[in-house]
Amino acid sequence: VVERSFGSMEIHYRNQSEVQEAGRIMLEQLGAQESDRMACRIAWSEVICAVTPDHATLINRQLRKGSMLLPGKSMFILETEPAGYIVYAANEAEKAANVTLVDVKAFGSFGGLTMMGTEAEAEAA
């Protein structure tokens, strides 16, 4: 993803130590340190319980690439600033609870995600 105001880059490799070393080298070349990054701020967090079939249909019509929101399930919505932290939040939420990622936007000044699960799972996420 390339975004005009806030550029981002993802590095993937099967060996995590290689990825960490690549990050260290990039920061060194930029004259920056990991501690220079902005702190995460949660701009919005909400659980909407028992989504109706009509609302699920409207949400599922949006142009997105995640799973479908199912009627009767609860929806967890989270926004973070800066946007990059939303990827970390999605990963941690999926580890903490049996939730399904419905949508994620990880670029720009704010990142957002929508997840689905039972009410208890959504609260745990």
Side-chain angles (χ1 to χ4, degrees):
V1 174
V2 176
E3 209 272 337
R4 272 185 248 181
S5 298
F6 304 91
S8 63
M9 176 188 294
E10 288 185 39
I11 299 172
H12 299 267
Y13 193 68
R14 64 183 162 270
N15 186 336
Q16 186 180 23
S17 64
E18 299 272 346
V19 174
Q20 290 172 334
E21 180 62 11
R24 187 195 65 73
I25 291 169
M26 282 189 283
L27 288 174
E28 182 180 288
Q29 291 296 313
L30 293 169
Q33 295 179 3
E34 189 175 341
S35 60
D36 296 337
R37 68 182 174 201
M38 288 177 59
C40 178
R41 183 178 78 81
I42 295 176
W44 184 28
S45 176
E46 183 176 1
V47 174
I48 299 171
C49 301
V51 174
T52 67
D54 291 340
H55 288 128
T57 299
L58 291 172
I59 292 166
N60 290 331
R61 282 187 184 169
Q62 296 175 5
L63 187 60
R64 55 168 183 66
K65 297 180 180 169
S67 298
M68 290 178 57
L69 179 63
L70 300 176
K73 292 288 189 173
S74 292
M75 179 171 62
F76 171 57
I77 303 168
L78 179 69
E79 282 190 358
T80 63
E81 179 187 27
Y85 283 105
I86 208 70
V87 175
Y88 179 75
N91 188 44
E92 292 301 308
E94 286 185 318
K95 286 193 248 178
N98 186 23
V99 289
T100 301
L101 184 62
V102 174
D103 190 33
V104 66
K105 176 188 165 249
F107 55 91
S109 56
F110 289 88
L113 69 77
T114 305
M115 300 187 116
M116 164 190 71
T118 64
E119 185 175 351
E121 291 164 343
E123 289 288 345

